[in-house]
Amino acid sequence: LVEGRKAPDDQQRAQPDFVTTWLTQCDVDNVIVENVPEFQDWGPLIAEGPDAGKPDKSKKGLYFNAWVEHIRMLGYDLKYTVLNCADYGDATTRKRLLLIGSKIQPV
């Protein structure tokens, strides 16, 4: 929402890098990220040719895996899974990717 109104572009989304920036700049003990399962496929797009702008299937998940590794390198024990909302009492079979991380405390 922008000043109580719908955002000008309903496709605006927070970029995953905002999460790593936030974890780097703040003293965060725990992090939870919820997204669509297809987020695990996040990777580069084809730059040229008739398929330009479409996902490069040969690099499927490359950006997602790098993003997860970055969070782990920041000192977080990160786990993720896909859950079906209906299994938790919701009236929909919508699937969601849930990532949960906790900062590893030095011993």
Side-chain angles (χ1 to χ4, degrees), residues 1-97:
L1 293 178
V2 176
E3 297 176 8
R5 298 185 311 266
K6 184 178 175 184
D9 176 3
D10 65 356
Q11 293 301 309
Q12 289 179 327
R13 301 286 186 259
Q15 297 296 319
D17 290 338
F18 291 164
V19 174
T20 51
T21 299
W22 176 66
L23 293 174
T24 303
Q25 295 179 358
C26 301
D27 185 20
V28 178
D29 291 330
N30 301 293
V31 59
I32 299 174
V33 176
E34 175 264 337
N35 209 318
V36 296
E38 293 78 14
F39 178 44
Q40 295 175 96
D41 298 339
W42 180 39
L45 303 177
I46 297 170
E48 298 177 356
D51 291 330
K54 293 182 180 178
D56 185 339
K57 291 180 183 176
S58 70
K59 298 178 182 174
K60 183 177 176 178
L62 184 70
Y63 291 169
F64 174 79
N65 292 328
W67 180 76
V68 165
E69 187 57 30
H70 185 187
I71 293 174
R72 288 184 172 140
M73 288 175 60
L74 292 173
Y76 290 85
D77 177 27
L78 186 67
K79 294 181 177 23
Y80 56 93
T81 191
V82 175
L83 302 175
N84 184 328
C85 295
D87 294 338
Y88 297 89
D90 203 344
T92 180
T93 57
R94 184 178 187 187
K95 293 183 179 175
R96 304 305 289 172
L97 172 66

